[in-house]
Amino acid sequence: MKKLTFDRLVLVGVVLIAVANGMAFVLHAGVLVNHAWILYGGLCLLHPVCPERWKNSDYEKNAVLGAKIAGILCIAIGLLTGFAV
């Protein structure tokens, strides 16, 4: 299995949200989008990564914290928005 990098994490998020939107459109189940946002936010919280150029620098700690905050925001979007309505 390949190591999860920042680029792959962003790509996984874009693909996950796009697939969930497509499935929600076809199946008329908007709650799938909410679950995708929560899943992606959980992934960002459990495995926060930062860009390679920021590793071993003064910005690494702040970048990892930013990834965790982004995960919390993604979970909040999934919980608070009414895609299923």
Side-chain angles (χ1 to χ4, degrees), residues 19-32:
V19 168
N21 278 324
M23 288 177 58
F25 179 73
V26 171
L27 300 175
H28 301 288
V31 73
L32 295 173

Side-chain angles (χ1 to χ4, degrees), residues 24 28-34 77-85:
H28 301 288
V31 73
L32 295 173
V33 179
N34 293 69
I77 288 171
L79 292 175
L80 298 177
T81 54
F83 293 121
V85 176

Side-chain angles (χ1 to χ4, degrees), residues 9-75:
L9 181 68
V10 172
L11 181 65
V12 165
V14 169
V15 169
L16 182 66
I17 301 300
V19 168
N21 278 324
M23 288 177 58
F25 179 73
V26 171
L27 300 175
H28 301 288
V31 73
L32 295 173
V33 179
N34 293 69
H35 290 300
W37 278 102
I38 294 170
L39 183 67
Y40 182 58
L43 179 63
C44 288
L45 274 177
L46 292 177
H47 189 70
V49 291
C50 66
E52 283 294 322
R53 65 179 175 196
W54 289 359
K55 292 211 185 259
N56 302 324
S57 71
D58 296 335
Y59 299 117
E60 182 177 10
K61 186 177 177 182
N62 291 337
V64 171
L65 179 64
K68 289 180 181 180
I69 291 171
I72 292 170
L73 290 175
C74 288
I75 291 173

